[in-house]
Amino acid sequence: MRIRIDSKVSGDFDALVVGIFSDDINLPELLDDKTKELVNKFRELGSAAKPLDSDNSIYPEGGPANRLLVIGAGKKTDFKLSFARNLAGTAARQLRKKGAKKIAFALPFGELDAAAVAQVYAEGIVLSTFDPGTYRTGEGKEEKILEDVVFLSDQKVIKDALERGVVFGEAANFSRSLAHEPGNNMYPELLAEEARKMAETYGLEFDALDKKRLEEGGFKAILAVGQGSAHEPRMIVLKYKGAGENEPYFGLVGKGITFDSGGISIKPADGMGDMKMDMSGGAWVIGAMRILAQLKPKINVLGIVPAAENMPSSNAYRPGDVIGSLEGKTIEVINTDAEGRIVLADGLTYARQLGATKLVDLATLTGAMVIALGYAAPGIFGTNDEFSRKFLDTTEKAGEKAWQLPLFPEYSEQIKSSIADIMNTGGRAGGSCTAAAFLKEFTGDLPWIHIDIAGIAYTEGEKPYLAKGSSGYIIRSLVDFVLAHA
Ligand code: BES
Ligand code: MN
Ligand code: ZN
């Protein structure tokens, strides 16, 4: 998708969207007099006074577009990037549902940096167009793709920022589409194939270690998790080289469980199907690598996705098993449903072996994360305060949220095993923290952040700006964080 800028709406537009603050009578730039008059009429009637109020539209005769939609941008003094993203997304998504294909936007910037706002506007518009109904046939299947999107502006910085936003939005939608695929159509081999195609298109180095190479290389942890499935595991590797050959790598590692049944410690039937999205962390990493390949920063980045399917079978790993790992540490398996940390153990180790000196991992790791922070934000854990603080700063500047949780030594105590180096669970208490403490064992002493996206990878209900299902949330921050190290 492209978002053009133009100084006026010309041609046959289905809709013009105008965003207005409730506490500021100034309107977005470049509007024609007729539109201004109509928008002011809406304002006098008290319409669009509430944030995201998008119930105000008319068909003005002789107007610049067939429909004028006035949307509430809330108070100018409260205006934030996260809200701006949702504002543009809401307008685009509501209009698209009504069949609009050509939409013009005149949206305000408040007192924020105009380029930063323009970028999130573009992100919001692109994210809102994600259609999860890919498997519908016949009637439910409508072509609702936006054909032409214009932003009213005559500033080059806005144009560049919009383009950047489209890059982020489209890569996030790509990640969402991967996460959204059901387990029968997204097992490790196919995830690797999707990563390979992306790498070829955008010019990244690609590798995927199959079962034979994993065995030869001693990747005992991921092999154990994958051994119960007819679909063999893969260790997917994407490489972006923006700096010199001998420069270190920034390592991104994403959990790639293409379906998590729980294995022998099988999950209850209710909601098990949602575990098709248990490779969201991996999908986010693949999307992030795509953005980096497009933006071409001067830094080397590794994207690693340990991909496996967690299934019960007579070949499956069992509770009580003791398994090895690429790192060498031995793991006592208490619960086969705590599989994410096991595949990540080998993923993190491999990232280090390939030259990563900084690590970030993303994973739908624990149900306890959903209990702790709900659907509002991912939890982050880290061993290096400066690195963690910098990440939180980045999320704030990107208009996203994350919340730091502790890695107290008690959590490491809780997962000590009496027969091996470490247990894969420490019981229910502090479930997200003990999971993070497990991962820490495989990070060397490198600066590392673990992001538990269990609560935010997937939205149960539809939002005005986002379809139900895979969200793509935090990819923007992840990429900005890497860029901040370039
Ligand atoms: N993939 C799940 C975590 C999850 C749960 C993600 C809900 C998204 C929504 C993970 O593999 C898992 O099953 N974790 C267990 C760990 C437990 C056995 C220690 C959990 O959270 O119940
Ligand atoms: Mn599990
Ligand atoms: Zn899982």
Side-chain angles (χ1 to χ4, degrees):
M1 200 177 98
R2 252 192 78 211
I3 302 182
R4 302 185 288 123
I5 64 164
D6 208 334
S7 52
K8 60 181 187 314
V9 186
S10 47
D12 188 22
F13 270 78
D14 295 313
L16 166 63
V17 180
V18 180
I20 60 169
F21 289 122
S22 59
D23 56 351
D24 180 13
I25 55 159
N26 295 309
L27 296 180
E29 55 175 349
L30 302 176
L31 286 177
D32 59 289
D33 290 342
K34 162 128 193 160
T35 301
K36 279 186 192 159
E37 192 185 310
L38 290 167
V39 172
N40 285 329
K41 196 87 200 162
F42 270 116
R43 184 197 294 284
E44 274 163 37
L45 293 169
S47 307
K50 290 195 302 268
L52 296 190
D53 179 4
S54 60
D55 262 349
N56 323 285
S57 75
I58 54 167
Y59 301 89
E61 225 166 285
N66 292 331
R67 180 202 293 259
L68 170 66
L69 172 73
V70 181
I71 184 166
K75 279 190 176 168
K76 187 177 179 181
T77 41
D78 292 345
F79 196 58
K80 289 201 174 69
L81 288 179
S82 54
F83 175 80
R85 185 182 287 120
N86 298 345
L87 175 81
T90 300
R93 187 165 154 75
Q94 302 317 316
L95 287 169
R96 192 164 162 264
K97 279 187 179 171
K98 296 187 170 95
K101 291 188 164 135
K102 299 181 178 183
I103 309 178
F105 290 86
L107 299 174
F109 297 105
E111 262 130 40
L112 307 180
D113 174 57
V117 177
Q119 180 177 338
V120 295
Y121 277 153
E123 288 170 13
I125 292 166
V126 175
L127 290 169
S128 80
T129 62
F130 179 74
D131 180 9
T134 41
Y135 286 95
R136 275 193 222 117
T137 61
E139 235 175 77
K141 193 148 184 84
E142 266 177 72
E143 277 305 323
K144 285 185 283 192
I145 296 304
L146 294 180
E147 282 168 8
D148 198 4
V149 182
V150 158
F151 197 93
L152 275 189
S153 173
D154 47 17
Q155 296 180 64
K156 172 87 162 57
V157 285
I158 301 296
K159 178 176 182 283
D160 294 347
L162 290 168
E163 274 168 15
R164 195 179 171 90
V166 171
V167 167
F168 275 81
E170 289 192 332
N173 283 353
F174 169 58
S175 295
R176 294 164 81 192
S177 72
L178 296 178
H180 172 76
E181 282 298 319
N184 59 330
N185 287 332
M186 186 53 73
Y187 39 86
E189 185 189 351
L190 294 183
L191 184 59
E193 182 53 21
E194 289 297 329
R196 190 195 60 75
K197 281 192 280 187
M198 185 282 284
E200 198 172 296
T201 307
Y202 293 91
L204 294 165
E205 278 181 40
F206 166 86
D207 191 16
L209 285 69
D210 60 7
K211 189 176 171 207
K212 186 161 164 284
R213 286 176 67 199
L214 291 171
E215 281 170 353
E216 287 163 2
F219 293 76
K220 291 180 179 156
I222 185 177
L223 282 166
V225 171
Q227 76 190 37
S229 170
H231 297 297
E232 294 177 355
R234 292 283 186 283
M235 183 66 77
I236 302 168
V237 181
L238 294 166
K239 257 187 212 177
Y240 167 75
K241 279 193 195 149
E245 193 70 38
N246 299 319
E247 295 294 315
Y249 281 87
F250 196 108
L252 304 178
V253 184
K255 170 174 172 179
I257 298 297
T258 55
F259 180 66
D260 180 14
S261 69
I264 297 294
S265 316
I266 198 161
K267 288 181 180 295
D270 249 9
M272 194 200 276
D274 287 345
M275 286 300 127
K276 67 178 183 179
M277 60 69 181
D278 211 18
M279 32 61 77
S280 296
W284 281 200
V285 166
I286 295 170
M289 293 303 290
R290 175 172 137 168
I291 301 171
L292 292 165
Q294 286 182 268
L295 298 183
K296 302 191 174 31
K298 288 192 166 47
I299 185 172
N300 292 340
V301 189
L302 268 171
I304 308 260
V305 182
E309 186 180 50
N310 189 21
M311 293 294 257
S313 85
S314 65
N315 294 322
Y317 79 138
R318 322 155 185 75
D321 281 4
V322 175
I323 61 175
S325 63
L326 181 62
E327 208 267 351
K329 289 196 168 108
T330 53
I331 302 164
E332 182 186 5
V333 178
I334 303 298
N335 188 319
T336 63
D337 198 10
E339 83 298 335
R341 64 201 76 183
I342 301 179
V343 299
L344 285 169
D346 278 358
L348 289 163
T349 306
Y350 197 41
R352 281 161 54 207
Q353 289 187 355
L354 293 178
T357 55
K358 293 189 173 78
L359 295 168
V360 178
D361 80 74
L362 287 102
T364 47
L365 202 63
T366 62
M369 195 69 249
V370 192
I371 304 301
L373 299 183
Y375 308 108
I380 73 155
F381 300 81
T383 39
N384 179 306
D385 285 344
E386 197 196 323
F387 201 52
S388 303
R389 214 170 313 117
K390 198 163 172 181
F391 183 78
L392 291 173
D393 275 0
T394 306
T395 60
E396 170 119 26
K397 287 200 196 104
E400 292 186 320
K401 283 184 288 194
W403 195 258
Q404 188 167 8
L405 287 103
L407 265 175
F408 296 131
E410 284 86 343
Y411 305 128
S412 301
E413 283 300 316
Q414 214 174 316
I415 51 170
K416 280 202 170 136
S417 164
S418 53
I419 62 165
D421 294 328
I422 190 173
M423 301 191 294
N424 81 327
T425 90
R428 281 165 57 84
S432 305
C433 304
T434 50
F438 180 98
L439 295 178
K440 185 175 141 225
E441 296 296 318
F442 299 90
T443 59
D445 280 325
L446 297 181
W448 157 73
I449 292 169
H450 158 57
I451 311 175
D452 193 334
I453 58 171
I456 50 101
Y458 197 84
T459 44
E460 277 301 331
E462 174 183 8
K463 300 204 172 127
Y465 46 85
L466 216 61
K468 164 180 146 71
S470 188
S471 73
Y473 196 77
I474 219 75
I475 296 177
R476 164 75 201 271
S477 300
L478 181 68
V479 173
D480 281 0
F481 189 54
V482 174
L483 295 176
H485 290 85

